[in-house]
Amino acid sequence: QVQLAESGGGSVQSGGSLTLSCATSEFTYNNYCMGWLRQTPGKELEGVAAISAGGSYTDYADSVKGRFTISRDPVKNTLLLRMNSLKPEDTAVYFCAAEALLPGHYCYSGTDFTYRGQGTQVTVSS
């Protein structure tokens, strides 16, 4: 069973920064494509960023490119999302996600992730 536990959400003013963390098992961390999704009320789930199982490949939605950085912490088996230059439109519930990709399939922000955490709220005020 894949377990994902997010932390680090909160409230920040426009232009500020936050770092989200997602703790998972060593097996999931080492073998799954992982990413971050977000959702605001009345809108569809949006893929924000993704990182391959080995950590060598990352992908971002155009809306966050240059501002957000996804990375892996191998010591803690934790996925990170550093969010800089936050805007009010970044306000959403952010979900950590994981997917066991079949060979030949790419890990990218639009991946249809099977597993998701409970989510953490990020609120950016103007």
Side-chain angles (χ1 to χ4, degrees):
Q1 186 177 359
V2 176
Q3 293 187 326
L4 305 164
E6 304 96 336
S7 61
S11 297
V12 65
Q13 289 192 326
S14 182
S17 299
L18 280 175
T19 298
L20 304 183
S21 300
C22 173
T24 188
S25 71
E26 183 176 5
F27 182 82
T28 300
Y29 180 89
N30 287 328
N31 294 284
Y32 281 59
C33 161
M34 297 189 72
W36 292 94
L37 314 172
R38 67 185 181 186
Q39 190 168 30
T40 54
K43 291 189 178 181
E44 290 187 359
L45 204 59
E46 176 189 12
V48 174
I51 187 167
S52 59
S56 59
Y57 179 77
T58 58
D59 184 62
Y60 298 90
D62 287 343
S63 57
V64 306
K65 212 169 280 186
R67 300 188 297 122
F68 290 13
T69 302
I70 189 170
S71 61
R72 291 176 177 265
D73 181 346
V75 175
K76 298 180 180 178
N77 295 329
T78 297
L79 180 71
L80 303 170
L81 184 69
R82 176 66 177 176
M83 305 183 293
N84 294 327
S85 303
L86 282 162
K87 305 174 182 180
E89 51 263 44
D90 294 318
T91 295
V93 177
Y94 283 71
F95 299 92
C96 176
E99 179 67 21
L101 292 176
L102 295 173
H105 286 67
Y106 291 100
C107 179
Y108 71 113
S109 60
T111 293
D112 186 14
F113 291 97
T114 300
Y115 303 99
R116 251 193 287 165
Q118 293 297 312
T120 184
Q121 177 71 43
V122 171
T123 302
V124 184
S125 58
S126 56

